[in-house]
Structures are given as structure tokens and as C-alpha cells.
Amino acid sequence: LPLTYSQQLQQLKERGLTVNSEEKALHLLEAISYYRLSGYWYLLLQDKKNHAFKANADFDTAFRLYCFDRELRKLVLAELEKIEIAVRAKMIYVLSHKHGAFWFSNPSIFRNPIKHADSITKMGQEYSRSDEEFIKAFSDKYSNPLPPSWISVEITSFGTLSMLYSNLLPGTEKRAIANHFGVSDSVFQTWLHSIVYLRNICAHHSRVWNRSMSIRPQFPKK
């Protein structure tokens, strides 16, 4: 059964959690939610099965961990932004010079036609949803289903971009993109997948601290 904020706080106290300021704790339970905060007081439990807290475990410690994790997500996202932009730029440059401005719509350079069709569908959806001025200017002037890659890829989600890269046929261009970042194409592919996963965790404000990542990148042999 759902509990009121006061009942939630009382339950925590009965389980042994020290609460230094009930007013602050009630505010945080309302503003953040019991369930989200529970990920940060989980390590403070002595008996996880019966939800009994360790001696001297307190609400403030859990909240400080929550604040640390919030700042950690900001730092991670700031660095991922740099990586994403660099990957977009390199893919656009290398593939456009080899296969033309609309390389992403050329099925002959991709391994799996079903995955390729799915990527194009997602790019179309992202294009139709975009409210960027440069997208509006393009659609007003041209009738192409999608703009050239230096426009399309800029508004494509990083998840879709990762799928496009992983579905590319093995070759010089795929290796060149990965080599720019200092790894092989097979390793780079797992890095992109892991970045998408980590980015989604951060974007949904999920816990990064003390998390076991279910998707992990390969380590290069060198």
C-alpha cells in the first residue's frame, strides 16, 4: 500500500535510520521520492532482507550520496557531449567523402538491410520532430526525404548513430573512424554502445554511483 510522507519517514526510523531533521527529510521524500533515495541508503542496511539499518546510519548520509551522484552525472554528461560531437564530425567527414552526402541512405554500405531500414526510419522521425531553424530552412527549400549527412546526422540521436556505425560493412572508412580515436573498429563499436547506455542512464537521472553496468566496452589489446 502507498504510504504518506510521514508514514514513510516513520518506517525508516522504525528500521533504525537516524533522522536529524524530520522537516528536511519530509521535504526530500516529497521532492525526490522514497524509491529514488532508497538506492542511496541501500548500503547503509545491516540486514537487507528485513531492511534493518546499521548502527549510526543516518538520512543525511544517504542524501549526501544522492547529491554526489547528481554531480557525477553532470560531469559524465559534459564529457560524453565532447565525445558525441567528435564522433558525429568524423563519421560525417569520412563517409561523405567516400560515399557522398547521402551515404546513410545507401544500403550497399551496410551489413543488415533490416537494421539499416530501421535506422532510416528513426532518422526520419527525428527529422520530422526537429524544431531547429536549419531543418525548417531545408524542408522549405528542398523536397528530399532527409537532408545531407552534415545536417541529418547533427539531429540524429546518438543511439541511432551508434547503430549506423555498427551496421557499416567492414572496410577502410569504418577502420579510419575508429583509428582516429585510437582503437580498432570492433572495439570502437562496443565503446559507442556503452556510451549510449551510459548517456541514457544519465539522461533519465538514474543512479551512476555504485552501479554495476550491464553493458560494458571491450578493452583494446594494446
Side-chain angles (χ1 to χ4, degrees):
L1 292 175
L3 303 177
T4 65
Y5 300 123
S6 296
Q7 289 171 329
Q8 292 171 14
L9 186 60
Q10 184 59 35
Q11 178 174 270
L12 289 169
K13 291 165 65 178
E14 289 173 357
R15 290 174 174 177
L17 186 66
T18 299
V19 178
N20 298 314
S21 170
E22 292 199 4
E23 183 180 2
K24 178 183 176 182
L26 287 169
H27 167 72
L28 293 174
L29 287 170
E30 181 176 3
I32 299 172
S33 89
Y34 183 103
Y35 186 75
R36 185 176 291 273
L37 285 169
S38 68
Y40 302 93
W41 62 57
Y42 185 74
L43 285 186
L44 305 179
L45 293 169
Q46 180 72 46
D47 183 347
K48 294 177 172 60
K49 183 177 180 180
N50 296 306
H51 306 284
F53 285 95
K54 299 174 183 177
N56 301 321
D58 65 82
F59 194 101
D60 289 342
T61 298
F63 180 59
R64 283 196 298 272
L65 287 172
Y66 170 83
C67 292
F68 166 80
D69 191 45
R70 183 176 59 196
E71 295 305 311
L72 177 61
R73 283 196 302 273
K74 292 178 185 178
L75 291 170
V76 170
L77 276 174
E79 297 309 310
L80 291 184
E81 178 185 348
K82 300 174 189 176
I83 297 169
E84 285 188 34
I85 290 171
V87 171
R88 288 178 197 276
K90 186 53 62 175
M91 283 184 66
I92 291 168
Y93 186 86
V94 170
L95 294 168
S96 294
H97 278 79
K98 178 64 177 180
H99 301 289
F102 297 92
W103 57 265
F104 55 86
S105 62
N106 181 358
S108 69
I109 68 171
F110 294 96
R111 295 184 301 176
N112 186 313
I114 296 175
K115 288 182 178 180
H116 176 243
D118 183 49
S119 295
I120 294 299
T121 298
K122 288 178 178 176
M123 289 180 73
Q125 292 169 346
E126 289 155 357
Y127 174 60
S128 63
R129 285 196 303 263
S130 177
D131 59 359
E132 294 281 2
E133 285 294 330
F134 61 85
I135 293 297
K136 186 177 185 302
F138 180 88
S139 61
D140 288 345
K141 188 174 182 180
Y142 302 99
S143 59
N144 304 59
L146 287 168
S149 64
W150 45 85
I151 297 176
S152 292
V153 172
E154 284 298 334
I155 61 165
T156 297
S157 73
F158 200 65
T160 302
L161 196 67
S162 173
M163 286 176 59
L164 282 170
Y165 181 84
S166 65
N167 197 28
L168 280 171
L169 286 168
T172 304
E173 295 76 43
K174 192 171 187 177
R175 290 194 298 272
I177 293 164
N179 289 345
H180 175 75
F181 297 97
V183 292
S184 68
D185 53 351
S186 59
V187 170
F188 188 60
Q189 190 169 302
T190 70
W191 285 20
L192 294 184
H193 190 197
S194 299
I195 288 169
V196 171
Y197 170 66
L198 179 57
R199 188 189 188 287
N200 287 340
I201 289 172
C202 293
H204 290 94
H205 317 297
S206 298
R207 181 168 46 84
V208 176
W209 167 80
N210 197 41
R211 184 189 193 103
S212 178
M213 300 293 179
S214 61
I215 296 174
R216 301 182 183 185
Q218 288 181 13
F219 284 93
K221 293 180 180 178
K222 295 182 181 179

